[in-house]
Amino acid sequence: MSGNLTLCSSSSLLESNSHWSKINQLYRVNIASYGDFISPLLSSDNSTVVIVLFLEDLIHDFNEELSSIQNRYAQFFEAIKSHHESSNQATIICFGKTKEYSVLKGVKRDANEQIVHKWFYDQLNSVKNELDSIYLINLDDVFREPGNQNIYSDRNWYFARCRLSAKGLSVLTNSIFMVLDRLANPPYKVLALDCDNTIWGGVIGEDGLQAITLGQDGMGAAFADFQKEVVKLINQGVIVVLASKNNEEDVWKVFDEHTSMKLKRSHIVSYRINWAEKALNLKEIADELDVSLDSFVFWDDNPLERDKMRSLLPQVLTIEPPLNIIEWPRLINSLNCFARFESTEDDQHKLAQYKARAHFKDNIQNTSNVNNYLKSINLKPTVISLDDSNLSRAEQLCKKTNQFNLRTIRHSARELKQFKSSNNDFIFLTHLEDNYGDHGVVSLVCLKTLSENSIFLDTLLISCRVFGRHLESWILSVILNRMSKYDLRYLIAEFIETDSNILAKNFLQNYGFAEFTRDLKIDDSISSIDFGNNKSYYYLDTKNVEIPNIDIFNGAMKYES
Amino acid sequence: MNLRQILIETFINSSIPENIDNLKIGDLDEWDSLGNFNLILAIEQNFGIQFDFDQLENLNSIAEITKALENDISNK
């Protein structure tokens, strides 16, 4: 259970219908009475709010003066704003119109319903853009593909005061579920592609370069368009790797010599082109990239390979592509598994960053003294204060970082701002640059005062792309530096175990943190710590602390930028 | 799916007897008027049919539903 969810709507949504069950499994759902979407916004039970509005429920007479409609709904938009101020949870608004406009009515001048519809939509859209906890699902867009006549049902309206057909309910609940799911879970990071009959038609080892299907016409164009869509994903920050049963030189021959290849060798961050089991190959790639397998999407035309992947690595998302290749470009374009709410500037540099990472891992494996090697690569960490330009990156780090993350608390942008407003010194980002390139903003620290002597490490996370550089040493030194400014002696940390964050626990153990128990009286004033439910706390006494590996940051000990 | 399976999926918190032939609205906690409508929608989706508004008012029991389904199939 992810918490409470309040569902309000302008007419019945048959909330007991089985289409809602996937949302009921995730949340305790409270249903507000129909037509009342203001009081749930004003209540302060900190639940996620979903509001479903149909224009025809809101406006009964489209001949009413726009100004009087505006007056009537001003209170609603005020309520959304004040809800945003007081709640930490997301509000998802779904808005659509159930009726089609007549061609003739709008062809010369906007009909009244068009004017009202546009005003309402614009209001919601600007609220969405202004306030980061508000999400807007434009039902008119969502319903375009299935078609209004399949989505809305006059019979259901007159019989049960529900605007939607069963199909409509299904599409609506799926859309809401998708947004809730993305709020709770990060998108996938890696696309693992087969080669033969996936990025081109035919088998390169048998058919040869001239005979494979790839190019301008027919099926060849479909494969080329599929590749174009893959390149688009790469530009959005998705990492592409190859898992192909082939002779390596045959595959690279296509990449190097076939003029219709849209995917280039330089796009491929890692590959395993051999005759081994693809599951083993993906495991190796996951280790190499420091990306966990549950961030992988696997695309292969061969049903046997897909079945094997599903049974050997169920955590990998194996796509079931349609038999007909011409449907592939549209399908990959519409995949939600990679979709994110916002793209940050950082996403566009992913390819270079992961390649630098692979290069770094290769070099460090071949060196005898790791710390000497790290000294030689000119690590340049910089502290960056949280501001509007990096807020979405900070939020993204919270959402996506799974491995080096002490508590894996997915703070929203709003919550991060609250840390900043409580004390600007107690939240900072770290940017890292070295000989392998500019890694961008890779770490976030949030601190909370506990008592006169102690401070709580609410968030410490480091992006996997800079693992192996002991950046945690440098970050810890910054934290200690800030603590000394406020005469704080104890750094209290909590480790919340997940499937993938053992690295963060190792950090506490290797950097001198001691386990903190109820009986330990290091500081009488620490009363706010809750030791219930197997929680594990640690503390670091900053008197006489020595930070391991800090010497590798030789020239770069200037903490503040 | 058969009717019994649809009942199970629609009324997830109720236990559905083996023999459903005499079951009707009100026999299960979840089978109230709204539950009845959810059941009809599930049946329509499952069989790919659409009942008329007039028919809906009478579809309150497995017997009536079975009769309507048989009519619908024989009309095709």
Side-chain angles (χ1 to χ4, degrees):
Chain A
M1 285 274 174
S2 317
N4 294 315
L5 183 145
T6 304
L7 176 64
C8 20
S9 59
S10 57
S11 50
S12 169
L13 294 171
L14 305 178
E15 293 81 358
S16 55
N17 192 280
S18 55
H19 287 298
W20 289 98
S21 59
K22 53 187 173 293
I23 293 173
N24 285 316
Q25 281 159 17
L26 280 181
Y27 293 87
R28 275 178 300 277
V29 178
N30 318 305
I31 296 154
S33 48
Y34 306 137
D36 181 12
F37 30 86
I38 292 186
S39 57
L41 288 171
L42 299 176
S43 98
S44 53
D45 62 351
N46 215 29
S47 80
T48 302
V49 177
V50 174
I51 306 176
V52 182
L53 302 175
F54 296 108
L55 181 69
E56 288 77 2
D57 293 335
L58 304 176
I59 315 292
H60 299 116
D61 174 10
F62 286 102
N63 291 321
E64 187 182 345
E65 286 290 321
L66 183 62
S67 61
S68 111
I69 293 172
Q70 288 170 338
N71 281 336
R72 201 142 40 86
Y73 283 98
Q75 195 197 355
F76 170 57
F77 291 106
E78 282 309 311
I80 296 178
K81 284 179 192 158
S82 74
H83 181 76
H84 166 79
E85 301 293 324
S86 65
S87 170
N88 290 324
Q89 304 299 324
T91 297
I92 302 170
I93 303 172
C94 310
F95 177 65
K97 61 176 168 61
T98 67
K99 302 229 162 47
E100 295 291 346
Y101 303 132
S102 132
V103 172
L104 296 182
K105 267 189 177 173
V107 77
K108 184 68 188 109
R109 285 204 204 300
D110 289 349
N112 285 349
E113 43 267 59
Q114 281 169 299
I115 294 169
V116 176
H117 177 237
K118 184 176 182 313
W119 175 77
F120 224 100
Y121 179 77
D122 288 349
Q123 290 294 302
L124 291 170
N125 203 42
S126 71
V127 167
K128 168 197 89 178
N129 287 324
E130 266 169 46
L131 309 177
D132 39 50
S133 70
I134 312 292
Y135 299 81
L136 176 63
I137 300 178
N138 183 353
L139 293 177
D140 298 335
D141 288 344
V142 174
F143 292 156
R144 187 160 296 128
E145 182 151 353
N148 275 1
Q149 68 276 25
N150 296 313
I151 290 297
Y152 295 111
S153 162
D154 286 334
R155 189 203 64 179
N156 292 2
W157 171 244
Y158 290 111
F159 197 81
R161 292 285 129 179
C162 172
R163 298 277 186 188
L164 298 170
S165 67
K167 171 79 179 167
L169 273 181
S170 155
V171 176
L172 173 74
T173 52
N174 279 336
S175 311
I176 295 170
F177 181 80
M178 255 189 270
V179 177
L180 292 170
D181 180 60
R182 181 58 79 251
L183 283 166
N185 300 306
Y188 287 79
K189 292 177 179 167
V190 180
L191 173 62
L193 288 172
D194 172 45
C195 292
D196 287 334
N197 286 317
T198 295
I199 55 177
W200 55 72
V203 177
I204 182 65
E206 289 172 16
D207 302 337
L209 192 62
Q210 302 314 316
I212 60 169
T213 309
L214 178 66
Q216 313 284 314
D217 319 299
M219 293 295 248
F223 282 108
D225 282 346
F226 179 72
Q227 289 195 16
K228 273 189 206 162
E229 294 296 336
V230 173
V231 173
K232 273 193 215 164
L233 288 175
I234 293 170
N235 292 334
Q236 289 159 26
V238 173
I239 298 307
V240 169
V241 303
L242 298 180
S244 164
K245 288 188 173 167
N246 250 317
N247 292 319
E248 206 182 308
E249 59 269 33
D250 289 342
V251 167
W252 295 131
K253 199 173 159 70
V254 185
F255 272 83
D256 295 340
E257 295 176 22
H258 201 295
T259 49
S260 295
M261 283 294 289
K262 305 292 173 207
L263 263 174
K264 305 290 177 203
R265 222 167 148 147
S266 59
H267 287 131
I268 308 299
V269 174
S270 180
Y271 56 87
R272 292 293 183 279
I273 302 167
N274 54 37
W275 303 91
E277 198 56 63
K278 292 196 181 190
L280 294 176
N281 283 331
L282 286 203
K283 264 190 183 162
E284 281 185 24
I285 293 176
D287 283 344
E288 180 186 313
L289 301 177
D290 278 318
V291 175
S292 62
L293 281 162
D294 58 12
S295 296
F296 275 65
V297 175
F298 177 60
W299 189 303
D300 194 313
D301 68 293
N302 185 336
L304 179 69
E305 295 293 349
R306 296 199 298 265
D307 285 346
K308 281 197 286 186
M309 189 61 73
R310 284 196 192 97
S311 75
L312 293 170
L313 297 177
Q315 66 272 51
V316 170
L317 175 64
T318 297
I319 301 285
E320 193 62 32
L323 278 175
N324 199 342
I325 309 295
I326 60 171
E327 294 172 37
W328 285 20
R330 184 186 288 271
L331 175 69
I332 193 170
N333 178 273
S334 66
L335 280 185
N336 284 307
C337 51
F338 296 115
R340 55 190 76 226
F341 293 139
E342 289 178 71
S343 104
T344 63
E345 197 191 324
D346 222 77
D347 295 327
Q348 285 128 44
H349 307 303
K350 276 282 153 59
L351 176 63
Q353 283 161 350
Y354 276 87
K355 286 182 111 178
R357 166 106 199 114
H359 188 200
F360 170 77
K361 282 202 106 173
D362 205 37
N363 286 343
I364 205 153
Q365 265 164 12
N366 298 321
T367 184
S368 52
N369 183 326
V370 172
N371 277 12
N372 276 346
Y373 179 71
L374 290 176
K375 265 186 208 174
S376 76
I377 65 170
N378 295 313
L379 291 160
K380 282 194 201 95
T382 323
V383 166
I384 297 180
S385 291
L386 186 77
D387 62 32
D388 285 342
S389 74
N390 51 41
L391 186 63
S392 65
R393 172 62 180 159
E395 187 185 24
Q396 188 188 50
L397 279 169
C398 276
K399 287 224 161 72
K400 289 174 55 177
T401 311
N402 294 320
Q403 296 180 87
F404 199 116
N405 197 338
L406 271 181
R407 296 174 74 231
T408 322
I409 306 288
R410 311 291 191 195
H411 286 306
S412 65
R414 273 179 58 78
E415 289 164 312
L416 294 174
K417 276 189 191 163
Q418 282 164 12
F419 280 99
K420 185 181 165 75
S421 57
S422 81
N423 188 332
N424 195 29
D425 280 345
F426 291 167
I427 178 165
F428 66 88
L429 294 151
T430 302
H431 176 276
L432 183 69
E433 209 182 315
D434 59 31
N435 287 0
Y436 290 92
D438 181 342
H439 305 287
V441 172
V442 291
S443 161
L444 172 70
V445 170
C446 307
L447 299 160
K448 243 184 216 165
T449 317
L450 276 181
S451 73
E452 266 175 39
N453 291 321
S454 54
I455 193 155
F456 181 59
L457 193 48
D458 174 273
T459 297
L460 167 60
L461 60 83
I462 299 176
S463 161
C464 59
R465 75 168 78 128
V466 294
F467 284 178
R469 290 167 168 82
H470 300 312
L471 184 63
E472 57 277 18
S473 301
W474 189 84
I475 290 168
L476 184 59
S477 74
V478 178
I479 296 173
L480 298 187
N481 195 348
R482 294 195 169 187
M483 285 172 67
S484 78
K485 181 171 162 190
Y486 295 92
D487 284 329
L488 292 158
R489 178 167 171 186
Y490 297 105
L491 179 60
I492 314 291
E494 183 191 12
F495 174 68
I496 301 180
E497 189 170 347
T498 68
D499 290 340
S500 47
N501 70 343
I502 189 72
L503 276 173
K505 188 177 188 178
N506 294 345
F507 160 74
L508 294 176
Q509 287 168 343
N510 298 337
Y511 279 70
F513 284 77
E515 206 141 346
F516 191 124
T517 58
R518 202 190 300 265
D519 319 318
L520 199 69
K521 289 273 185 292
I522 57 156
D523 180 351
D524 287 341
S525 53
I526 301 175
S527 53
S528 53
I529 294 186
D530 163 23
F531 285 97
N533 292 335
N534 305 322
K535 292 191 168 180
S536 57
Y537 285 97
Y538 294 78
Y539 73 99
L540 183 70
D541 183 350
T542 60
K543 288 263 149 61
N544 310 318
V545 71
E546 253 186 56
I547 305 178
N549 306 315
I550 193 71
D551 58 306
I552 62 173
F553 296 95
N554 32 24
M557 285 302 288
K558 291 182 208 83
Y559 296 152
E560 315 291 330
S561 65
Chain B
M1 276 199 287
N2 61 33
L3 275 181
R4 188 166 177 274
Q5 284 164 326
I6 297 174
L7 282 169
I8 293 172
E9 295 214 344
T10 304
F11 304 128
I12 45 173
N13 298 316
S14 308
S15 70
I16 310 295
E18 276 304 320
N19 186 342
I20 58 165
D21 295 350
N22 296 317
L23 224 52
K24 59 181 189 314
I25 190 167
D27 288 353
L28 308 166
D29 280 351
E30 291 173 273
W31 194 347
D32 54 8
S33 61
L34 188 56
N36 193 62
F37 191 62
N38 286 326
L39 176 65
I40 304 282
L41 291 182
I43 290 168
E44 288 182 334
Q45 257 197 321
N46 185 70
F47 293 102
I49 53 167
Q50 178 90 348
F51 296 115
D52 293 336
F53 192 93
D54 302 340
Q55 283 177 289
L56 285 185
E57 313 232 288
N58 301 320
L59 296 177
N60 295 319
S61 65
I62 294 296
E64 293 286 353
I65 290 167
T66 313
K67 208 166 76 188
L69 283 173
E70 280 164 359
N71 283 340
D72 194 88
I73 290 160
S74 59
N75 289 342
K76 273 183 186 166

